[in-house]
DNA sequence: CTGGGTGCAAAGTATTTGCATGAAC
DNA sequence: GTTCATGCAAATACTTTGCACCCAG
């Protein structure tokens, strides 16, 4: 288990128990919706407010400590920022997995044939995961 | 200009003036947010309700006449369903363009190395469009 | 004529804001 | 001690629902 105290401070965020819980949950779960995060947090902090969840998620988004992943036909999930990667979204159980896919060829093609300058790519593959098959 | 009367009927939707306007706007604009669609519609139907917009968008989504495209850091846009394709999203002006990218190689790789069964893929490339460079 | 569509108002859901108290550093 | 975070309540934003009236077929 990583200790996120210093990492939070590096992002100009005080290391409160609530924030440490959020980072731990994100670390363990990988991807989580606001709703699920709140449900898990309530178990540890019975009087936590949804406002606190939103404020912290928004602060962490602003300084790029975490990122939002928009999933077709489902709620957004949040994850700790890491190297660029794509996502697998199970249409049955809702599970989101990271997957490293090399998009260089594609990005090079776009660079050649288009005048559009690509800064980032977001790819989500929807389907059925191993467990649900 | 395509006449969407029969196309709407084929989707079990009566061809009302409001719906014909929505289909025309989608056809011309390509991609549009709920908000912008409402603004354009108000010019033609001064007393149109947002509820009518939402009801129609939801009906058209249900029968797959249109699709929602989720854009990172921006509002969702809606487009008339067509062959599978990807999107370019300009981070400056917000413009969304269609782009045909062959993802077969990638999907084959995933099929080989993963146990995940892919049904569909959603790729958005964010960056700066021609006009904004 | 009949069923479905529209517009309005109200309800529901999601997210943000203001502020007093309290905790981090 | 000072700054910033939390939790509550209220406000705002977004989306859906119920219903009376109206129009497409």
């Amino acid at each position: 288990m990583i200790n996120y105290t210093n990492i939070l401070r590096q992002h100009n965020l005080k290391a409160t128990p609530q924030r440490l819980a959020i980072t731990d949950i994100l670390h363990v779960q990988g991807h989580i919706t606001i709703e699920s995060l709140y449900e898990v947090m309530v178990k540890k902090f019975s009087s936590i407010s949804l406002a606190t969840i939103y404020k912290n998620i928004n602060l962490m988004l602003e300084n790029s400590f975490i990122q939002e992943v928009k999933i077709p036909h489902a709620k957004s999930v949040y994850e700790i920022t890491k190297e660029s990667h794509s996502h697998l979204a199970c249409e049955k159980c809702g599970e989101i997995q990271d997957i490293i896919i090399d998009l260089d060829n594609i990005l090079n093609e776009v660079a050649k044939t288009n005048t559009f300058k690509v800064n980032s790519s977001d790819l989500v593959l929807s389907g059925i995961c191993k467990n649900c098959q």
Side-chain angles (χ1 to χ4, degrees), chain A residues 18-84:
Chain A
Q18 290 87 339
R19 283 182 184 158
L20 288 169
I22 291 175
T23 53
D24 282 349
I25 293 165
L26 284 170
H27 180 70
V28 172
Q29 308 263 112
H31 308 88
I32 197 164
T33 61
I34 293 281
E35 194 181 16
S36 302
L37 178 58
Y38 177 66
E39 285 169 11
V40 178
M41 288 292 286
V42 165
K43 292 177 187 164
K44 301 186 184 183
F45 305 88
S46 56
S47 67
I48 196 171
S49 161
L50 252 179
T52 299
I53 304 281
Y54 278 110
K55 284 171 186 167
N56 280 318
I57 289 293
N58 286 334
L59 281 173
M60 293 177 184
L61 282 172
E62 279 166 26
N63 62 35
S64 298
F65 173 60
I66 65 171
Q67 288 188 269
E68 179 180 1
V69 184
K70 293 190 176 186
I71 310 290
H73 312 297
K75 293 183 180 168
S76 288
V77 295
Y78 298 84
E79 64 181 7
I80 294 174
T81 302
K82 38 189 177 293
E83 330 72 64
S84 175

Side-chain angles (χ1 to χ4, degrees), chain A residues 4-13 63:
Chain A
Y4 280 99
T5 303
N6 291 323
I7 300 175
L8 283 170
R9 289 184 187 148
Q10 284 160 21
H11 286 85
N12 298 311
L13 299 174
N63 62 35

Side-chain angles (χ1 to χ4, degrees), chain A residues 67-70 79 84-87 103 120-124:
Chain A
Q67 288 188 269
E68 179 180 1
V69 184
K70 293 190 176 186
E79 64 181 7
S84 175
H85 60 278
S86 300
H87 291 97
L103 297 175
S120 63
S121 55
D122 290 84
L123 173 60
V124 179

Side-chain angles (χ1 to χ4, degrees), chain A residues 115-127:
Chain A
T115 45
F116 191 94
K117 184 183 174 305
V118 176
N119 288 332
S120 63
S121 55
D122 290 84
L123 173 60
V124 179
L125 303 182
S126 301

